[in-house]
Every structure is written in structure tokens, then in C-alpha cells.
Amino acid sequence: MAKKKSPRTVAKKRPVKKKDVKKKATAQRSGRKRTKSKAAKAKHTARDKKTLGSIEDLANGVVQAARRRGDPHVDIPARTLSNVRY
């Protein structure tokens, strides 16, 4: 003989009360002068300047290709033991 299932009763959902949301007050800046970060104070070495020049050339090439509506081409060298210095 199979058991009879009793009908499930569904609980009615209560309406959710919305909370009033208040904006947080913004913090006021102090009267202190801001100092430059360490990165802004750093001097660029010759190697840094060469690297920055390479990055700028790469960016200019991408912009020129985009203006010609072409696909930009970027060569990224493989990092292998043949070109790593110890």
C-alpha cells in the first residue's frame, strides 16, 4: 500500500519594507600640502630612458596602424635562457 502525500501548504510572502538610504558624508581634505610620491622623485637611468622610448615607439606604431584601419602588429620577444643575463 502506497503512502498518501499530504498537500503542501505554501507560506505567504510578507511585503519587504524598504530602508531609507542616506548618502555618506564625504571626508574633508586637510589643509596639508601633498608631497610627491617616490616614483615621481625617481631619476631615470639610461636603461629606463631606452625602455620608455621603446614603449613610446610601440604605442605610436599601434596608433598609426589604427588610423590606417589596419591591425597593429606587436613583436614580443620570447624570454628564454638564450637571452637572459645572470
Side-chain angles (χ1 to χ4, degrees):
M1 194 178 217
K3 274 187 167 178
K4 289 185 178 180
K5 292 184 179 179
S6 62
R8 285 184 155 182
T9 57
V10 179
K12 292 183 180 179
K13 292 184 178 179
R14 295 182 188 170
V16 178
K17 293 181 181 178
K18 293 184 178 180
K19 294 181 181 179
D20 291 333
V21 179
K22 294 181 180 179
K23 291 184 179 179
K24 292 181 180 179
T26 57
Q28 293 181 355
R29 292 185 179 180
S30 63
R32 296 187 305 164
K33 292 183 180 179
R34 292 184 176 221
T35 59
K36 293 184 180 180
S37 64
K38 289 182 181 179
K41 292 180 182 179
K43 303 253 180 168
H44 295 297
T45 62
R47 186 174 184 183
D48 292 339
K49 290 177 184 178
K50 182 179 177 183
T51 304
L52 287 172
S54 297
I55 293 171
E56 288 176 356
D57 291 342
L58 173 67
N60 289 333
V62 170
V63 169
Q64 288 174 358
R67 287 185 179 154
R68 290 184 298 216
R69 300 191 187 267
D71 292 332
H73 179 74
V74 178
D75 286 329
I76 300 175
R79 185 59 73 184
T80 60
L81 291 178
S82 64
N83 64 2
V84 175
R85 294 183 188 175
Y86 291 101

